[in-house]
Amino acid sequence: MDNQMKRGLLDVCVLAAIKDEDSYGYKIIKDIKPYVEISESTLYPILRRLEAAQMLTVRSAEHNGRLRKYYHITDAGISRIEDFKNEWGEMISIYKFITKEESTDE
């Protein structure tokens, strides 16, 4: 898959993982893992990029004697998910166009 496309998809996956409740790095990875493989070294730059784009906010809270960063989606992040859903319909149409010859050969 094209790296730029995958990057955009991962951004939306991370936003979707925190859409319903604030979350932290390890839990985000755990929640996304059944759908797409993501490592800490991939996740944390995404989180920083989304924070810089004001699609999420970060707060620190103590957990078991350590500070943990919790991520919260913003209205801009929710809008990005909605934009993605609208764009995805076009992607499905393109996919169907590309694969239509394969399905008629069967």
Side-chain angles (χ1 to χ4, degrees):
M1 177 182 291
D2 176 64
N3 285 337
Q4 193 69 15
M5 182 184 292
K6 187 171 184 178
R7 178 178 158 183
L9 291 172
L10 288 175
D11 287 1
V12 176
C13 286
V14 169
L15 290 170
I18 63 173
K19 186 178 79 156
D20 295 327
E21 67 178 338
D22 294 358
S23 194
Y24 54 94
Y26 176 75
K27 185 169 184 323
I28 293 169
I29 290 171
K30 187 175 146 193
D31 291 344
I32 293 175
K33 212 165 214 149
Y35 307 98
V36 63
E37 191 67 31
I38 187 169
S39 66
E40 286 183 34
S41 62
T42 300
L43 175 65
Y44 289 103
I46 291 170
L47 291 169
R48 286 190 294 274
R49 184 170 58 250
L50 292 172
E51 182 183 14
Q54 299 180 336
M55 291 188 200
L56 57 81
T57 58
V58 184
R59 68 176 169 83
S60 294
E62 189 173 326
H63 178 78
N64 292 335
R66 297 177 46 204
L67 281 181
R68 177 184 279 172
K69 288 184 177 183
Y70 287 88
Y71 300 90
H72 175 82
I73 194 166
T74 65
D75 289 342
I78 299 277
S79 291
R80 178 62 194 112
I81 291 172
E82 291 305 312
D83 290 345
F84 171 80
K85 289 195 266 187
N86 292 332
E87 294 164 1
W88 194 248
E90 184 178 358
M91 293 293 288
I92 291 170
S93 293
I94 292 168
Y95 175 81
K96 287 179 180 178
F97 173 74
I98 292 169
T99 59
K100 73 178 178 185
E101 294 168 2
E102 295 170 7
S103 62
T104 59
D105 289 343
E106 294 175 4

